Amino acid sequence: MRVIGLMSGTSLDGVDAALIETDGETVAAFGPGAERPYTEAERAALKAAVKAALVWRFSGPEPDFSAAEAVLTATHAEATARVLDAAGLTPADIDLIGFHGQTVLHRAPQAEAPGATRQIGDGAALARATGIDVIYDFRGADMAAGGQGAPLAPLYHAALARMSGIEGPLAVLNLGGVANVTWIAPGAEPSAFDTGPASGLIDAWCERTIGRPYDKDGALARAGRVNDAALAALLDHPFFEKAPPKSLDRWDFSLDPVQGLSPEDGAATLTAFSARTAAAAILSMGAPRRVLATGGGRKNPVLMAMLGEFAGAPAEPVEAAGWRGDLIEAEAFAYLAARSVRALPLSLPSTTGVPRPLTGGRRASAA
């Protein structure tokens, strides 16, 4: 099948789109990709939806997300059109779109409350706008069955590793807003879990202190010093005592421990926090032959250097394996869309804690 995957991460910077040819088990070909950045007005609408969701927290009537969903439909349709143009294809040439939507709230399963997750995005509206059938709601079935609902990319990471002939143990580390790791070892199903914040807290700190959306090239952190007391306070979080599989919402951690620090020292401390927790998660599973990093954080040389220092092995960007780091998550949801229509599992007990291998996703027809 020819499938276009679409992903909008918690950084709210734009839509990533990628075309692959896949049967949901292997990848036969990689087509073009595209990024459609959000305008300031679009980003403001999405940030307002996140803010409303954080007030709601699954209690009482759901907020009206229609304005944000209209933004998602328009921008994701435009990203789809850019990929079609680059490939020289029409909607009739595409079998499916894998549409993740925008996560505005995620609550991991707890003893006192079941898990819940909300990805906004109107799959039916996107199908009408593009003229292509859309697979969406990838996480709902997993959480309804008691799984964490995240991470969902591990099966795609495993497919890439098989295709590339990479010998395990391999750690694939996604450094998005939240960090998650996929552990791929010979003779075993992939295992995965969220490790803690990656770029999310650093981005929030930069926005608050210097009015920029992220720490470009790690320059702010490089100019600062890690504050040991603040780092200890960040590490003293109950999440790190939980056994995997486990998942996070970007907003489960706060900036309180670094309040009062200079912008530089705060950035250095938060960067060390992300690197240290990711490295500890990797080492808890064994000694990897390779650590491959994807997500925006792989472009932060300070974060990558700290990660290598704490893990005792250099972290390489996934481009070192010939993978497309800016497109992997979009590709993953294209892959999962193909698996969905074939009723293949999207998650495993070892990746989300779901009781059995489970498929998922819902289909919206363009007809």
Side-chain angles (χ1 to χ4, degrees):
M1 291 173 275
R2 284 193 183 120
V3 191
I4 293 175
L6 299 168
M7 181 65 191
S8 176
T10 55
S11 59
L12 303 178
D13 53 0
V15 183
D16 294 325
L19 171 64
I20 63 172
E21 294 183 24
T22 181
D23 60 0
E25 296 180 84
T26 60
V27 181
F30 295 90
E35 181 185 0
R36 198 294 195 174
Y38 291 130
T39 66
E40 283 303 315
E42 291 163 348
R43 192 164 186 255
L46 296 176
K47 288 176 73 174
V50 171
K51 184 176 180 180
L54 289 170
V55 173
W56 168 50
R57 293 195 178 277
F58 302 111
S59 178
E62 182 175 287
D64 180 4
F65 293 124
S66 58
E69 290 192 316
V71 167
L72 292 173
T73 299
T75 54
H76 283 64
E78 187 174 326
T80 300
R82 291 185 182 187
V83 170
L84 290 174
D85 287 346
L89 299 173
T90 70
D93 297 316
I94 305 298
D95 295 286
L96 296 168
I97 287 174
F99 173 42
H100 174 265
Q102 181 68 56
T103 299
V104 293
L105 193 63
H106 181 86
R107 182 181 69 207
Q110 301 163 4
E112 65 275 12
T117 194
R118 185 68 165 94
Q119 285 75 45
I120 62 173
D122 188 333
L126 184 61
R128 291 191 300 269
T130 59
I132 303 168
D133 285 7
V134 171
I135 308 297
Y136 66 105
D137 187 17
F138 288 92
R139 303 184 190 273
D142 182 273
M143 297 206 79
Q148 296 282 329
L152 286 187
L155 290 176
Y156 183 61
H157 295 158
L160 287 176
R162 287 194 304 270
M163 185 183 70
S164 302
I166 298 175
E167 291 187 18
L170 167 68
V172 181
L173 185 64
N174 176 30
L175 297 171
V178 167
N180 53 69
V181 64
T182 301
W183 182 259
I184 301 167
E189 297 282 13
S191 56
F193 58 96
D194 286 351
T195 71
S199 300
L201 283 182
I202 303 167
D203 292 350
W205 177 253
C206 290
E207 199 156 344
R208 178 178 297 184
T209 60
I210 62 172
R212 296 177 191 161
Y214 66 101
D215 185 9
K216 183 173 175 58
D217 298 326
L220 196 66
R222 186 181 290 108
R225 297 183 64 179
V226 174
N227 182 288
D228 291 336
L231 178 59
L234 287 161
L235 292 167
D236 186 25
H237 191 286
F239 175 78
F240 300 113
E241 300 300 319
K242 295 179 181 178
K246 53 185 177 178
S247 64
L248 278 173
D249 184 85
R250 173 176 172 167
W251 308 104
D252 285 345
F253 289 78
S254 80
L255 294 173
D256 291 349
V258 293
Q259 291 302 332
L261 299 183
S262 69
E264 295 81 6
D265 289 355
T269 303
L270 292 169
T271 302
F273 175 52
S274 294
R276 182 161 167 176
T277 51
I282 292 169
L283 294 175
S284 73
M285 293 182 288
R289 284 176 178 263
R290 294 182 78 176
V291 177
L292 293 176
T294 185
R298 79 189 192 288
K299 299 179 181 180
N300 181 328
V302 177
L303 176 59
M304 291 287 281
M306 286 184 175
L307 179 62
E309 177 186 345
F310 292 131
E316 306 171 88
V318 293
E319 286 81 0
W323 303 354
R324 304 191 296 183
D326 289 331
L327 298 176
I328 278 185
E329 283 202 271
E331 292 172 0
F333 283 98
Y335 180 79
L336 294 175
R339 292 183 70 84
S340 177
V341 297
R342 294 190 58 201
L344 294 171
L346 307 190
S347 56
L348 308 174
S350 58
T351 61
T352 68
V354 74
R356 63 190 184 283
L358 194 69
T359 192
R362 291 193 283 167
R363 187 169 188 158
S365 174

